[in-house]
Amino acid sequence: MAAETWDTVPLAPPDSIFQLTAAYKADPFPQKVNLGVGAYRDDDNKPWVLPVVKKANEFLLQDPNVDHEYLPILGLPEYTTAAAKLILGPESPALRETRAVSVQTISGTGANHLGALFLSRFYTWDGPKQVYLSNPTWINHFQIFRNVGIEPLTYPYYDPKTIGLDYEGFLDSLRTASPRSVFLLHACAHNPTGVDPTKEQWEKIADIVLERKHYVFFDCAYQGFASGDLDNDAWAVRYFVERGISLLVCQSFAKNAGLYGERVGALHVVAPTKQAADRVRSQLAVLQRSEISNPPAYGARVIALILNDASLFEQWKEDIKTMSGRIIAMRKELHRLLSEELKTPGNWDHIINQIGMFSFTGVNATQSKALTEKAHIYLTTNGRISMAGLNTKNIRYFAENLDKVVRGEL
């Protein structure tokens, strides 16, 4: 008899996004459209290696000093330092006062995990370990926090009636949550809705966070990708730091540098003093050592080159504008097709008001399933679409079928 048969292990369902991609790949239909995956595609529906990444890669290949030795536990210093300046701003009080702790992580997912693990171990919880997540949020947030013993709760965020922000519901949650609660906020390009607060709304959110002494867990996976402007997309994070709010930031270079498979991320914990930062850094090193020992080198070296070389940095900003510009153009064209040409019932202004890679279309689960089963358009059942999956060759096909499903004709 074996020591363990694993008969009591429940069979977990497959990940819905990756299952959707597998179904798309297996579909022989020539006009099939994949609007599920959160990765940029060019107008030919192909992955795009950024020209600046190709150039940085050439530099690395020609550098005789590049080796395959271990990186330090907390990561490549020239990467983490530059990544902190990018998200916090070069003039950030947290950097000026050396009270920000930066750790290289396994992309944004690893940053979320390490940040959650650190809070689980060291945050002085006043009650049960809980985190407030927006309703809806990136589905992986739930499992990441549960894995470290923090129970997710949700706060109102998306209003299906307006296909926009439930601002009052959001503020009410901030006001009624116990003091010193942990709130996860999307820094820009909210996933999955594409709905972001305005600067004025962020200011009011910050007022209540300070008043209630909440802790903010920022997730920033789309800096630059949202508006095409790196500084604009970091505004909320920088503003909260300037206001003296207790926070950490999870950062990813998967989307804005197209380095999805290289897993390049960072966790930045902003502490109140340098002494506190030193203590935080020491414990993050212990946690990192026990999980991955050392982060991977290649992607961090690519980003370090881009961030620390003025000409490469300028080219990267142009590459970001290429990606965000194409997404914005698809939003405008989809809006034009639905509102003006097809005269699809309803108001479609949310398509151009939302920002980033994703858009909540407003169609329900039955309509989403009909689009997939009858029109071979693959999207999640909550009506979220990846705008990056649209291009000049398939946008009309998608708009016409979206129009049909809204009219009940599909």
Side-chain angles (χ1 to χ4, degrees), residues 5-177:
T5 60
W6 307 116
D7 289 342
T8 58
V9 177
L11 184 67
D15 182 275
S16 59
I17 297 291
F18 289 94
Q19 191 178 25
L20 199 68
T21 302
Y24 166 79
K25 285 180 177 175
D27 187 346
F29 188 70
Q31 284 180 280
K32 63 183 178 178
V33 181
N34 185 6
L35 303 181
V37 70
Y40 180 77
R41 295 291 180 263
D42 65 16
D43 199 51
D44 293 319
N45 197 35
K46 297 283 192 298
W48 191 55
V49 179
L50 275 61
V52 73
V53 168
K54 287 182 178 178
K55 196 174 283 187
N57 195 43
E58 286 300 316
F59 288 162
L60 285 176
L61 289 172
Q62 291 162 17
D63 185 347
N65 297 314
V66 170
D67 54 36
H68 299 287
E69 295 296 296
Y70 291 122
L71 293 187
I73 292 170
L74 295 180
L76 188 70
E78 53 266 43
Y79 162 75
T80 52
T81 301
K85 284 180 186 171
L86 185 76
I87 184 67
L88 299 176
E91 304 304 318
S92 173
L95 297 179
R96 198 168 55 242
E97 296 155 16
T98 60
R99 55 186 178 83
V101 181
S102 299
V103 183
Q104 184 186 334
T105 59
I106 307 295
S107 205
T109 305
N112 272 267
H113 168 70
L114 188 60
L117 181 62
F118 178 76
L119 290 186
S120 180
R121 295 280 177 87
F122 297 105
Y123 190 67
T124 47
W125 305 90
D126 292 336
K129 295 179 183 180
Q130 295 173 330
V131 62
Y132 283 87
L133 308 176
S134 64
N135 181 22
T137 190
W138 180 47
I139 198 68
N140 216 15
H141 280 145
F142 289 92
Q143 194 59 39
I144 286 168
F145 282 95
R146 286 190 181 119
N147 277 351
V148 298
I150 300 176
E151 185 56 31
L153 307 173
T154 60
Y155 59 87
Y157 189 85
Y158 173 73
D159 183 353
K161 293 193 294 294
T162 62
I163 318 185
L165 180 66
D166 182 358
Y167 181 52
E168 291 306 324
F170 185 4
L171 293 187
D172 193 51
S173 283
L174 289 167
R175 289 190 190 101
T176 56

Side-chain angles (χ1 to χ4, degrees), residues 342-371:
L342 297 169
K343 296 191 168 33
T344 307
N347 186 323
W348 296 95
D349 289 352
H350 57 276
I351 299 290
I352 45 175
N353 292 336
Q354 293 167 0
I355 195 168
M357 187 175 283
F358 299 110
S359 180
F360 250 36
T361 56
V363 299
N364 61 37
T366 304
Q367 292 168 322
S368 298
K369 284 176 184 169
L371 282 166

Side-chain angles (χ1 to χ4, degrees), residues 85-89 223 231 234-242:
K85 284 180 186 171
L86 185 76
I87 184 67
L88 299 176
Q223 186 184 358
D231 294 319
W235 187 88
V237 171
R238 295 174 185 180
Y239 177 73
F240 274 49
V241 171
E242 284 168 13

